[in-house]
Amino acid sequence: MTKQMTRLFTVLGAASLLMSACASQKGSTAVTAGGMRKAATGKWTLNSVNYEGLPSTAKISTVFSNIPPDCLQGSNWVLPSNSNGSFTINSSATGCTPGTQDIVWSTINQNGVIMLQFKEMMSGVKAKNILDGYRVELAQADQASMVWRAPVTYEGKTAYVVYSFSRQ
């Protein structure tokens, strides 16, 4: 009977170890580039462009393709799962040029930080032949909102342009 009890305790011990190992993996909250990509997929409206770490006297004159940040407010971004998206500038304020720009987008893990990167597409040119693009930290994305943080250097220190979106 003691051999049977020993076997029973051995089997139960092994089963509990296996179950606890599986449970700890299921509970993992590691953020992945693929998971953030899935969360970012969809249609978005850029609600605001703000600055972290910059004094109020500092001015960012342009972002991305020489676009004044104020022109991007209210822009619509389409980030579909097939990577062929676009953004549309709606503002007709002074210095803004309304229109739609096609992009190819993806996410990557860069040294533990999830980055969203995109290239502006030009008619007749394949994405692999476009060397220039943009990369921003994909700080947050869920069913309702998304936040990008783009590092900039100001007086030798890193500051951020922060883009806040809401899902359409």
Side-chain angles (χ1 to χ4, degrees):
M1 181 130 171
T2 57
K3 282 186 177 183
Q4 288 177 336
M5 292 295 279
T6 304
R7 284 186 192 148
L8 178 63
F9 285 124
T10 303
V11 169
L12 288 174
S16 67
L17 281 172
L18 181 61
M19 292 178 80
S20 67
C22 290
S24 66
Q25 286 181 355
K26 281 178 79 175
S28 175
T29 58
V31 177
T32 65
M36 288 295 279
R37 176 186 172 79
K38 187 174 181 180
T41 297
K43 295 180 180 181
W44 300 92
T45 299
L46 179 59
N47 298 315
S48 65
V49 180
N50 295 304
Y51 309 98
E52 287 179 8
L54 287 175
S56 60
T57 56
K59 179 75 174 149
I60 302 291
S61 57
T62 62
V63 295
F64 305 138
S65 291
N66 295 319
I67 301 170
D70 292 342
C71 295
L72 284 175
Q73 293 195 47
S75 61
N76 296 316
W77 293 70
V78 179
L79 305 174
S81 60
N82 71 2
S83 300
N84 297 313
S86 65
F87 66 89
T88 301
I89 295 175
N90 301 310
S91 178
S92 57
T94 303
C96 301
T97 305
T100 300
Q101 173 64 56
D102 291 331
I103 61 172
V104 172
W105 75 284
S106 63
T107 56
I108 62 165
N109 183 326
Q110 181 177 310
N111 301 320
V113 177
I114 306 303
M115 306 295 283
L116 183 141
Q117 58 187 9
F118 66 93
K119 295 179 182 181
E120 294 181 349
M121 299 302 299
M122 294 174 265
S123 181
V125 180
K126 293 183 179 185
K128 68 179 183 178
N129 296 328
I130 298 174
L131 301 177
D132 294 329
Y134 306 97
R135 194 173 280 179
V136 295
E137 176 187 344
L138 182 51
Q140 183 264 323
D142 59 30
Q143 292 300 315
S145 61
M146 178 170 63
V147 176
W148 297 353
R149 294 177 73 224
V152 294
T153 301
Y154 181 78
E155 294 182 347
K157 296 180 183 174
T158 301
Y160 294 90
V161 179
V162 180
Y163 304 88
S164 298
F165 296 82
S166 61
R167 192 177 292 275
Q168 293 180 4

